[in-house]
Amino acid sequence: MIRYGDEMWSELRFTGFQYQAERRDGQWVDVALRPETAGDTPLPEDVTDFQIIAVCTHNGYPIQLVTQDEGCDCEYQLTEWEQEQINAFIRTEEVRQTIAKAASGTGE
């Protein structure tokens, strides 16, 4: 992750995600992700309640990833490799089915 304004960063290796999908409106579904990271790539010490909101189409395509700490946008952004890991997870059949259910209004 890269803290805004910093020139140095580290990359997180995600080992899993807890997630929940919620329909936002007729166009978007928000997928709240709580990542689990590898022991050798821990979250920064100043991050206490980290999650990523993936804004997806109703068909399950991730459009935007927003990092949050304690429910608010945080000062960290994701590296390209971290984004690729998240996008690959969102594109799995299990998550896409969950997004489709949320989009249709039938829940998770």
Side-chain angles (χ1 to χ4, degrees):
M1 289 188 359
I2 306 168
R3 184 195 303 256
Y4 290 106
D6 282 358
E7 292 183 20
M8 298 190 63
W9 68 86
S10 62
E11 289 192 301
L12 301 174
R13 184 168 42 92
F14 300 116
T15 58
F17 297 92
Q18 296 176 6
Y19 68 96
Q20 182 176 8
E22 182 177 319
R23 179 185 168 131
R24 179 189 295 198
D25 56 27
Q27 185 174 6
W28 308 115
V29 172
D30 292 339
V31 181
L33 301 161
R34 294 218 177 259
E36 300 163 7
T37 60
D40 60 341
T41 63
L43 289 169
E45 290 182 13
D46 60 337
V47 174
T48 57
D49 184 26
F50 185 65
Q51 74 173 352
I52 301 158
I53 303 298
V55 180
C56 301
T57 66
H58 281 206
N59 292 326
Y61 297 103
I63 301 298
Q64 181 181 15
L65 301 174
V66 179
T67 58
Q68 293 189 334
D69 188 24
E70 297 181 345
C72 299
D73 291 355
C74 77
E75 60 187 332
Y76 287 93
Q77 61 185 350
L78 299 164
T79 67
E80 185 175 339
W81 185 63
E82 291 165 340
Q83 291 177 38
E84 289 172 4
Q85 292 176 77
I86 295 163
N87 288 337
F89 175 74
I90 291 170
R91 290 186 179 113
T92 63
E93 189 61 29
E94 175 186 337
V95 177
R96 288 187 65 167
Q97 286 179 8
T98 302
I99 291 169
K101 288 178 185 176
S104 70
T106 60
E108 231 179 293

